[in-house]
């Protein structure tokens, strides 16, 4: 198992270029199955989840050219095969192949998706949505088999604004000449990125205030789509800048999608300079405590809750974080407390962070992708050396994180 070693307390200055969004590309890649001609995706992040998704596409027969963060995919020879556990369990988003294969072949078979241990993460909303589209769903020993003679028009009201279910419905219906309405859809920017891709291929999908209307098309043509910047990677580096930055410049971003985090950083007395594609941020020498409640977009993102926890260990007083999306997303707290933070898990929905605490290096274990990021941030500010084990999770979602940090002055190594 790989580990990361960090010598803490070094000022970070220079520029960090943000990569394409993990939670976009894991949907854009399966969506290429819907195209009847070759398609191109640019600004592709170099992360393990992309490798895992490409492996599934190649297993199905995709012809892929991948260089300089650009992927050209020709799916003319793709076949419908059962996606085995060893390919599907590498990432939760493998379930997007359900929608994509249903769209093209009216049938899909895949084992249960993998993903972080941050909660039960059921897919009942996905399955109920498939059923409303006239799709038969059968499950036997962890393998999902979906089949239909024809996908029908319908209106689907989501019990929760699920990102994954919204995307799976888009993938399932985009290639059928039907009209599907999703009420209570998720509104994350990554969904807009997928809709942009599908509309450029030839669908007519309309995003309204409270619903999405999908007018599918049976023929979807060649196009190029740019992966949007990763707003969670952006937020992670902004938090690092607020703790250690000296005019640290974060490039290739859309600041508008990080408003919730930016507002909380400002509320805690961090200042920054924004342009339409970058943010320059420096260390906040007097972090005011703040209270956070995670919410669906555009609220404070659950994926930044764990990195922000580390930031609040340095606040001058008591802060609280309420996690409303997942039921088990505080596993990093135990590890942070090994570094001398003073965080209390009040219940599985709320933690209290007592600051400021001087973090001291130690050996800690990464339990999930964003929890791992919170430990890297802690290592960067701790006195002495911090070793983080089990860091494969982190490499799933942060492109080139070691070199991006080294290039701005961090003393960080991977072994
Ligand atoms: C996406 O997960 C992201 N992953 C997650 O990012 C992110 O935390 C989450 O959206 C919320 O923003 C990808 O996009 C690949 P949901 P997803 O369906 O689609 C419950 C990261 O760190 N739910 O919006 O799985 C679910 O248990 C990852 O990059 C059901 O109950 O999120 C959760 O409590 C972590 N039934 C809530 O809804 C369902 O059928 C939100 O889930 C589906 C979801």
């Amino acid at each position: 198992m790989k580990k990361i070693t960090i010598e803490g307390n070094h000022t970070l200055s220079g520029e960090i270029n943000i990569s394409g969004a993990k939670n976009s590309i894991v949907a854009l890649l399966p969506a290429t199955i819907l195209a009847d001609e070759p398609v191109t995706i640019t600004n592709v992040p170099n992360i393990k989840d992309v490798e895992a998704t490409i492996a599934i596409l190649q297993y199905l027969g995709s012809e892929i050219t991948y260089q300089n963060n650009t992927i050209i995919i020709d799916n003319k020879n793709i076949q419908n095969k059962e996606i085995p556990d060893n390919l599907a369990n590498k990432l939760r988003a493998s379930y997007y192949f359900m929608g994509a294969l249903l769209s093209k072949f009216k049938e899909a078979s895949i084992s249960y998706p993998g993903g972080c241990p941050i909660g039960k993460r059921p897919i009942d909303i996905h399955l109920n949505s498939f059923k409303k589209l006239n799709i038969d769903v059968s499950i036997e020993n962890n393998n999902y088999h979906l089949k239909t003679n024809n996908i029908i028009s319908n209106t689907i009201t989501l019990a929760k604004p699920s990102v994954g279910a919204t995307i799976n419905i888009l993938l399932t219906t985009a290639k059928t000449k039907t009209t599907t309405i999703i009420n209570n859809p998720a509104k994350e920017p990554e969904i807009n990125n997928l809709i942009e891709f599908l509309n450029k291929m030839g669908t007519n999908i309309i995003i309204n205030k409270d619903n999405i209307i999908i007018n599918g098309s049976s023929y979807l043509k060649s196009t190029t789509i740019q992966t949007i910047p990763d707003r969670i990677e952006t937020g992670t580096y902004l938090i690092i800048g607020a703790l250690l930055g000296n005019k640290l410049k974060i490039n290739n971003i859309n600041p508008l999608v990080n408003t919730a985090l930016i507002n909380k950083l400002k509320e805690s007395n961090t200042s920054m300079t924004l342009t339409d594609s970058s943010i320059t941020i420096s260390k906040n020498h007097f972090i005011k405590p703040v209270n956070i409640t995670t919410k669906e977009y555009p609220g404070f993102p659950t994926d930044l809750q764990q990195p922000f926890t580390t930031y609040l260990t340095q606040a001058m007083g008591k802060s609280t974080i309420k996690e409303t999306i997942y039921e088990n997303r505080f596993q990093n707290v135990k590890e942070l407390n090994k570094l001398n933070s003073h965080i209390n898990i009040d219940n599985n929905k709320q933690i209290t962070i007592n600051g400021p605490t001087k973090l001291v290096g130690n050996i800690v274990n990464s339990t999930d992708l964003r929890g791992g990021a919170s430990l890297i941030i802690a290592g960067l500010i701790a006195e002495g050396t911090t070793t983080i084990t089990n860091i494969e999770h982190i490499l799933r979602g942060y492109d080139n994180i070691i070199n991006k940090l080294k290039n701005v002055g961090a003393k960080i190594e991977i072994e």
Side-chain angles (χ1 to χ4, degrees):
M1 302 294 247
K2 287 193 178 147
K3 59 187 179 183
I4 285 175
T5 305
I6 305 171
E7 182 193 287
N9 222 1
H10 293 275
T11 299
L12 304 179
S13 56
E15 306 202 12
I16 291 178
N17 296 326
I18 295 300
S19 303
K22 166 179 88 78
N23 293 348
S24 229
I25 191 65
V26 294
L28 297 175
L29 285 167
T32 64
I33 292 173
L34 279 62
D36 295 291
E37 300 170 4
V39 288
T40 302
I41 307 176
T42 61
N43 197 32
V44 178
N46 177 19
I47 53 176
K48 295 281 179 216
D49 275 9
V50 166
E51 289 171 28
T53 310
I54 285 175
I56 296 175
L57 283 167
Q58 287 176 325
Y59 167 78
L60 296 170
S62 278
E63 285 149 36
I64 295 178
T65 313
Y66 182 14
Q67 54 195 14
N68 307 329
N69 302 100
T70 297
I71 288 186
I72 302 169
I73 299 190
D74 186 345
N75 285 321
K76 66 178 179 302
N77 296 322
I78 201 163
Q79 303 127 43
N80 193 7
K81 295 194 280 188
E82 177 174 325
I83 300 175
D85 188 57
N86 67 307
L87 289 177
N89 72 5
K90 288 206 169 43
L91 77 160
R92 177 171 171 80
S94 54
Y95 56 28
Y96 293 148
F97 284 91
M98 292 178 180
L101 292 171
L102 278 167
S103 223
K104 174 114 179 175
F105 298 111
K106 306 288 179 284
E107 186 169 9
S109 190
I110 181 169
S111 78
Y112 182 81
C116 289
I118 53 178
K120 286 192 300 294
R121 306 192 80 183
I123 60 170
D124 55 314
I125 301 173
H126 298 240
L127 302 179
N128 294 337
S129 303
F130 289 137
K131 289 171 188 164
K132 298 227 27 176
L133 295 166
N134 186 41
I135 293 159
D136 294 327
V137 177
S138 64
I139 307 169
E140 48 198 79
N141 52 51
N142 253 11
N143 192 67
Y144 289 82
H145 189 238
L146 307 139
K147 191 170 170 47
T148 180
N149 294 324
N150 69 309
I151 293 168
I152 60 171
S153 295
N154 209 340
T155 295
I156 301 171
T157 300
L158 297 183
K160 290 181 183 174
S162 157
V163 171
T166 303
I167 287 176
N168 242 333
I169 297 166
L170 282 159
L171 293 171
T172 305
T173 58
K175 199 176 173 58
T176 312
K177 278 206 72 57
T178 54
T179 297
T180 310
I181 298 172
I182 310 176
N183 291 326
N184 191 30
K187 301 180 183 329
E188 272 67 4
E190 294 75 32
I191 289 164
N192 298 19
N193 201 190
L194 174 64
I195 290 172
E196 180 193 0
F197 187 28
L198 294 170
N199 278 345
K200 287 181 81 172
M201 282 197 247
T203 59
N204 173 22
I205 301 171
I206 303 141
I207 303 173
N208 296 313
K209 186 172 163 303
D210 295 319
N211 68 26
I212 295 174
I213 300 174
I214 307 158
N215 299 297
S217 166
S218 53
Y219 191 86
L220 295 175
K221 63 187 191 310
S222 184
T223 189
T224 297
I225 185 70
Q226 180 173 32
T227 314
I228 58 171
D230 193 314
R231 61 193 168 93
I232 306 303
E233 185 192 17
T234 301
T236 305
Y237 287 114
L238 283 175
I239 291 167
I240 291 170
L243 289 163
L244 289 164
N246 174 15
K247 296 191 176 54
L248 185 66
K249 188 163 179 281
I250 315 292
N251 291 323
N252 304 344
I253 63 171
N254 169 12
L256 299 178
V257 299
N258 281 103
T259 302
L261 171 71
I262 289 168
N263 288 345
K264 280 297 173 182
L265 285 171
K266 287 182 175 171
E267 184 187 332
S268 62
N269 186 41
T270 294
S271 51
M272 61 201 88
T273 310
L274 277 68
T275 69
D276 60 3
S277 65
S278 75
I279 296 178
T280 302
I281 190 164
S282 294
K283 175 174 176 157
N284 173 353
H285 294 276
F286 190 97
I287 298 174
K288 289 180 186 162
V290 291
N291 299 319
I292 302 282
T293 301
T294 64
K295 284 263 180 283
E296 291 86 3
Y297 191 85
F300 192 96
T302 172
D303 294 346
L304 286 174
Q305 170 263 98
Q306 293 159 295
F308 204 76
T309 300
T310 306
Y311 172 74
L312 291 176
T313 66
Q314 304 308 300
M316 302 294 173
K318 188 183 290 239
S319 307
T320 61
I321 292 185
K322 282 195 181 70
E323 170 58 69
T324 69
I325 308 292
Y326 292 106
E327 67 275 17
N328 181 28
R329 202 166 198 176
F330 295 137
Q331 295 180 75
N332 57 318
V333 167
K334 164 166 67 46
E335 301 302 313
L336 287 171
N337 283 339
K338 285 181 192 167
L339 300 173
N340 195 42
S341 66
H342 181 189
I343 307 168
N344 188 55
I345 299 181
D346 307 332
N347 55 55
N348 77 334
K349 292 272 177 210
Q350 177 173 307
I351 57 175
T352 299
I353 302 118
N354 302 285
T357 50
K358 187 151 203 48
L359 302 190
V360 179
N362 199 342
I363 298 174
V364 289
N365 183 49
S366 162
T367 51
D368 58 272
L369 166 57
R370 309 300 175 183
S374 77
L375 297 177
I376 287 183
I377 299 170
L380 289 170
I381 59 175
E383 274 308 310
T385 300
T386 298
T387 300
I388 305 168
T389 57
N390 199 17
I391 56 108
E392 281 71 9
H393 301 283
I394 303 169
L395 304 179
R396 281 187 43 217
Y398 286 96
D399 181 356
N400 202 16
I401 184 166
I402 305 298
N403 288 328
K404 287 187 181 184
L405 286 170
K406 271 183 173 174
N407 290 343
V408 293
K411 299 282 179 274
I412 181 169
E413 296 299 336
I414 188 166
E415 298 146 29

